[in-house]
């Protein structure tokens, strides 16, 4: 299990199947860096003026995040992205 | 539905029909980057000295924002702009 | 109506009729960027240590501001400048 | 009258009559940028941790300031320098 | 014994035995900089708004950290990495 | 008299008579920039979290300061250095 | 005596006798910049949210510090390094 610290969030990026107008599935390289992902685990929260405040996102949320944010890590065979909650722009529900 | 986090706002940019003095509608490329938009959703607020403070803008407000602010995202077929409230300059009413 | 947010101020720049010593009115390009303007609208204030504090300038004040501050916007046919109060140096009365 | 905002100060620079060792008065261009001036007006103060604090300098004080600080403005025929109190180094009495 | 100060943590990096798909163990130079390590000692904590707050990680935790963070030091024959807790991304349990 | 503002200190640099090993007194240019000086006057203090706190150094203290800190000013025939207390490293007694 | 101000610490660097694998003592130039030293004197502390807090290190502590931190000064014939406590990574006991 991977437990993020403080205001960090662990998510798995969701590759968007990108097809050109004419239906061709884009090769890996040409694809836009993914901006959507599913939250796997959230940190214990961050401090606001000395008070510990919970994070807004929850495990299982589908989120949109800043394209080049966070650090890619591999645990076993699984690729994760660890980023700060402030790099998450919105929740899609 | 797209729910922005914290002090972020989701809006849809309003393309200004730009005509030159002689009435020619400008092509996409030559157009100024839009600076007006309509608020679609607002975040839960931001912290000021440990207190959570609501955002000033509301859903449906027509606003002016800094030209190069925010992140463009596409959800389904719709283009949105997600930016921080501090990038919104004024409300037009 | 254009309502600025937070600590922002909307003003209309006052072009200074600039004449060279010999009385020639300077062409637009050669003119110094205006630094004087009249306040059209003020934001709701800014936070100081969690307290909302009103802005010092008022609608109708004639002010001096930092030359390259703010964002120029056009609403209808009128040109405005939207800047933060901290870019206003002094009030002329 | 020119009323500076917040922690700003308006002063008039005092040109130091600069003579080389051999007594030649330096031409305008070669002169060191003035660092002395007289305070014409002071702002209403600045915030320290939510409390408004008065400025230390008073109208009429002769002060030393950082050479390249502030903004030069002309009101009528008079040249002023508007700078923040933190750019004033000391008072000469 | 090596006692880190404040919000710092001392850890020993864990070299990941990196084999290419075809099973060749990578030479030192080609290896990715390690991102996993075991916590050897933790600092006394950091200040949040005047209150001393304990660190989240404990001695013996296996952690993932930012690749180029911290300072490598050698005490006797042992290599350690000293970094700030904010450079640790997550705990692996 | 020269009265520094806030957390500033006025001092007179002490030129160290620098001799090479073989006893040659270094010429002005080759000399290291002085780092020692005597405090002539101290400011009224600085704010820490809204409280005004006195400076640690006193008039007459012999101090070591960061080499390139502060502003050189001349009052009458005397050269002074005005710097912030945070640029003073230690007191020599 | 040399008394550091605020959160500063005075220490004497400990040169590590560096021998190559084959036992050759490294010449001065090739040596790594020292990272170990002994604390000679500590400052009166630093402010955290308006409260004065003592430093963690004590006189006589053997410490590890960031390689290029601090300022080298010479008092009489002795070389000292004056740095901020935040540049000290750990205490060796």
């Amino acid at each position: 299990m991977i437990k993020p610290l403080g205001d960090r969030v662990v998510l798995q990026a969701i590759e968007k199947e990108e097809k050109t107008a004419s239906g061709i599935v884009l090769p890996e390289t040409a694809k836009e860096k993914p901006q959507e992902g599913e939250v796997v685990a959230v940190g214990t929260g961050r401090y606001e003026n000395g008070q510990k405040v919970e994070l807004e996102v929850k495990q299982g949320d589908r989120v949109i995040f800043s394209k080049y944010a966070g650090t890619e890590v591999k645990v076993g065979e699984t690729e994760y992205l660890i980023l700060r909650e402030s790099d998450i722009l919105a929740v899609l529900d």
Side-chain angles (χ1 to χ4, degrees), chain A:
Chain A
M1 237 271 283
I2 172 169
K3 276 197 323 178
L5 289 188
D7 67 339
R8 284 193 169 95
V9 172
V10 176
L11 56 79
Q12 280 189 285
I14 299 165
E15 304 285 339
K16 282 210 280 188
E17 223 215 19
E18 295 189 22
K19 284 186 194 150
T20 60
S22 55
I24 302 157
V25 177
L26 286 176
E28 198 49 40
T29 46
K31 264 191 215 156
E32 280 273 344
K33 240 184 158 325
Q35 277 196 285
E36 278 183 46
E38 184 175 319
V39 173
V40 171
V42 296
T44 54
R46 65 171 190 279
Y47 282 92
E48 282 289 346
N49 225 47
Q51 304 299 324
K52 191 124 190 193
V53 169
E54 275 196 18
L55 301 188
E56 278 193 68
V57 295
K58 301 281 171 288
Q59 191 185 354
D61 278 351
R62 187 183 173 103
V63 295
I64 299 177
F65 53 89
S66 307
K67 218 173 263 184
Y68 300 103
T71 305
E72 286 163 2
V73 295
K74 203 169 174 184
V75 178
E77 288 316 308
T78 318
E79 290 265 357
Y80 295 102
L81 184 68
I82 308 182
L83 62 162
R84 291 194 187 272
E85 187 185 48
S86 57
D87 289 321
I88 297 179
L89 308 179
V91 176
L92 289 166
D93 61 12

